[in-house]
Amino acid sequence: MYGKVRARLRALVRRMRGDAGMVTSEYAMGIIAAVAFAVLLYEVVTSGQVKAELQNIVKRALSART
C-alpha cells in the first residue's frame, strides 16, 4: 500500500511541475488588467471632488498644531 501511495504522489508532483507557470497570454491578460486598474485609480484620484478632498486633508495636516 505504501508503494502505491508513493507512486501516486510522485505522479502528482510530476503533473504539477509540468504546469508550473503562466503562459504568455495569461501574462498579457494580467498586464492588461493591471493597467486598466491603474488607469481607473488614476481617474478617481485626479477627479475634482477627490482631488479637492485630498488637498483639504493635506492642508489640515500641515496646519495642525502639536
Side-chain angles (χ1 to χ4, degrees):
M1 181 166 168
Y2 178 72
K4 289 182 181 181
V5 171
R6 193 171 178 184
R8 281 186 152 183
L9 185 59
R10 283 184 184 165
L12 179 63
V13 168
R14 269 187 254 128
R15 266 191 288 163
M16 289 173 64
R17 285 183 185 161
D19 191 25
M22 293 193 302
V23 294
T24 304
S25 61
E26 290 171 332
Y27 278 117
M29 292 304 294
I31 290 170
I32 290 170
V35 168
F37 182 72
V39 168
L40 178 66
L41 185 60
Y42 177 78
E43 290 296 321
V44 168
V45 171
T46 58
S47 69
Q49 186 176 0
V50 174
K51 193 173 185 179
E53 190 61 36
L54 289 173
Q55 286 176 346
N56 287 335
I57 291 170
V58 171
K59 284 178 185 177
R60 279 185 285 163
L62 292 175
S63 66
R65 296 183 188 239
T66 55

